[in-house]
Amino acid sequence: MIIPFNKADFNLSTVMELQDLFPSKGENHYLYQVSNFIKDKFNILEFIPMTSGTHALEAAVILSKIQPTQYVITPSFAFPSTGNAILLRNAHITFCEINEHTLCIDENDCLNRIVPSTKCIMPVHYGGVSCDMDPIIDACQQKNIFLIEDAAQSINAKYKDRFLGTLGDIGCYSFHSTKNIQCGEGGGLCINTPGALIDEAYKVVNKGTDRHLFLNGLVDKYTWKSLGSSYLPADLLMAVLLSQLFELENLEYKRKMIYDTYYHELKKISGYKGIRHISEIPSYSKSNYHIFYVLFETEELRNSAINKLKQRHISSYFHYLPLHSSDMGKKLGYKEGDFPVTERVSKTILRLPIYNSMTMKECSYVLDHFYDVLKEL
């Protein structure tokens, strides 16, 4: 049996949606349907589909109106898109530490790094789990700091009774082929602040123009109004995405079954052969089961386990390489040793396969071989 780490899944309803797309039902027909579905489902003030999660982050930072002298606090344990979105506006990054139990931003370290020139805080919800958001939200409100949620991995996950992506001024989703809900490449902006921010967001995604007002018959022509780019996705991709959204709860249930099986089986052997921690969900969080991971005691044990699983045709990976110790991070003045928890997690994490169409037979196969690998370490 060959078990990939991830598998993009498109079903019969997807094909039917694509057949239905031609002849076209009008400009952005499926984009509007996706937007309305997500707004209604997650109680979002305004949702704008975009070409990628990366572009959603970039647009969010533009909308924060950050200046080159200002700073964004974000964890080093993140994908480069998070850092790029900040640097593309010529602003400064303040990296911070993560919590080893959630792999999300360390709330205390984050708050301790706030200075008068801090414009934004950008927590990353790792694997469909959030940090304790209350102290961060409180600090942002008290100090007038713009809050951007990097919820790329976290659609349909919750912090307490609120969906991730709806807690900040703006939340950012990804619909890349590696995510729970996917269309190959895509993303979206959750606009959670009423008033001018919605109008500004539509200008940013429409190449800096007020074309959205023109399409709604509110002006007789549109023109260049602000900074922006071509961020709206093709309707073809939105047709694919809509068919996935219709199955959101069913797909998440399947992932939960895999996650729960991994958790209950591997919890029994935590501490065995260098396993020091396994994926867990805090009591305040409702996960979407995007990732299941194991933390080993050493990098050598982790690497050996990955290689031995590969020999058994099972793909497993680590994730992420810290941004602060990357080549770009060093250019920003950071160095290895600045964030020891982040570095230790990065060197010892192993992520097991989990995807929407994964069967319990495949899950059992992974566990059986993972046990055998541990015995060989």
Side-chain angles (χ1 to χ4, degrees), residues 4 29 47 69 77 93 105 137 193 199 216 259 274 282 294 303 308:
H29 171 79
F47 182 78
T69 56
F77 194 67
I93 301 175
I105 198 169
I137 293 170
T193 303
D199 183 59
N216 288 317
Y259 183 102
V294 171
N303 291 347
K308 289 180 182 297

Side-chain angles (χ1 to χ4, degrees), residues 215-280:
L215 292 175
N216 288 317
L218 300 177
V219 295
D220 59 0
K221 59 181 179 298
Y222 65 91
T223 186
W224 190 16
K225 294 287 187 179
S226 67
L227 191 68
S229 191
S230 185
Y231 286 137
L232 294 179
D235 223 29
L236 183 68
L237 295 181
M238 292 301 93
V240 175
L241 183 60
L242 186 63
S243 69
Q244 292 262 307
L245 288 168
F246 288 152
E247 296 193 61
L248 177 62
E249 301 298 339
N250 180 48
L251 294 175
E252 186 170 295
Y253 176 74
K254 291 179 179 179
R255 297 182 80 99
K256 183 179 187 302
M257 290 180 63
I258 302 299
Y259 183 102
D260 287 347
T261 301
Y262 279 153
Y263 180 82
H264 292 301
E265 289 300 316
L266 295 178
K267 189 71 173 176
K268 300 173 187 175
I269 61 169
S270 184
Y272 174 71
K273 290 287 187 171
I275 295 180
R276 64 185 170 88
H277 183 67
I278 66 170
S279 186
E280 65 180 47

Side-chain angles (χ1 to χ4, degrees), residues 18-300:
L18 295 179
Q19 289 177 334
D20 193 34
L21 187 59
F22 302 102
S24 175
K25 292 188 173 183
E27 184 177 10
N28 294 333
H29 171 79
Y30 287 97
L31 183 148
Y32 294 136
Q33 288 202 48
V34 165
S35 177
N36 290 332
F37 183 100
I38 291 178
K39 280 198 299 184
D40 293 344
K41 169 71 176 175
F42 303 121
N43 193 28
I44 297 171
L45 193 62
E46 191 68 34
F47 182 78
I48 307 176
M50 297 188 69
T51 39
S52 67
T54 296
H55 281 163
L57 289 168
E58 292 175 10
V61 177
I62 291 173
L63 287 164
S64 75
K65 300 190 182 302
I66 196 165
Q67 301 300 310
T69 56
Q70 295 178 313
Y71 290 77
V72 180
I73 301 174
T74 195
S76 171
F77 194 67
F79 194 68
S81 295
T82 306
N84 282 328
I86 301 164
L87 296 183
L88 284 169
R89 303 269 42 88
N90 295 314
H92 300 281
I93 301 175
T94 300
F95 286 126
C96 68
E97 192 59 280
I98 58 170
N99 181 309
E100 197 163 13
H101 293 289
T102 64
L103 310 196
C104 296
I105 198 169
D106 182 312
E107 306 90 344
N108 293 326
D109 190 51
C110 169
L111 298 182
N112 286 337
R113 294 178 186 274
I114 294 175
V115 295
S117 54
T118 299
K119 175 65 176 179
C120 304
I121 295 178
M122 191 186 296
V124 177
H125 301 311
Y126 185 75
V129 171
S130 79
C131 66
D132 183 358
M133 286 294 293
D134 283 343
I136 292 178
I137 293 170
D138 290 345
C140 288
Q141 291 175 345
Q142 292 169 14
K143 299 176 184 295
N144 194 30
I145 295 172
F146 201 81
L147 180 55
I148 300 171
E149 293 176 81
D150 182 342
Q153 301 175 343
S154 300
I155 191 167
N156 208 39
K158 285 183 176 181
Y159 172 72
K160 296 185 176 178
D161 61 345
R162 296 175 65 185
F163 288 103
L164 301 186
T166 71
L167 298 154
D169 294 284
I170 294 179
C172 302
Y173 290 149
S174 171
F175 304 117
H176 186 268
S177 59
T178 57
K179 303 302 188 291
N180 294 23
I181 302 301
Q182 54 199 235
C183 60
E185 186 68 273
L189 278 178
C190 306
I191 310 296
N192 306 311
T193 303
L197 191 62
I198 294 175
D199 183 59
E200 289 300 313
Y202 273 108
K203 290 174 186 173
V204 167
V205 303
N206 277 294
K207 309 175 185 67
T209 73
D210 57 351
R211 188 169 184 266
H212 64 293
L213 298 180
F214 174 74
L215 292 175
N216 288 317
L218 300 177
V219 295
D220 59 0
K221 59 181 179 298
Y222 65 91
T223 186
W224 190 16
K225 294 287 187 179
S226 67
L227 191 68
S229 191
S230 185
Y231 286 137
L232 294 179
D235 223 29
L236 183 68
L237 295 181
M238 292 301 93
V240 175
L241 183 60
L242 186 63
S243 69
Q244 292 262 307
L245 288 168
F246 288 152
E247 296 193 61
L248 177 62
E249 301 298 339
N250 180 48
L251 294 175
E252 186 170 295
Y253 176 74
K254 291 179 179 179
R255 297 182 80 99
K256 183 179 187 302
M257 290 180 63
I258 302 299
Y259 183 102
D260 287 347
T261 301
Y262 279 153
Y263 180 82
H264 292 301
E265 289 300 316
L266 295 178
K267 189 71 173 176
K268 300 173 187 175
I269 61 169
S270 184
Y272 174 71
K273 290 287 187 171
I275 295 180
R276 64 185 170 88
H277 183 67
I278 66 170
S279 186
E280 65 180 47
I281 302 169
S283 59
Y284 57 71
S285 184
K286 180 260 181 187
S287 179
N288 67 355
Y289 312 100
H290 178 61
I291 286 172
F292 188 92
Y293 64 86
V294 171
L295 297 181
F296 282 88
E297 286 290 349
T298 68
E299 185 177 11
E300 291 73 23

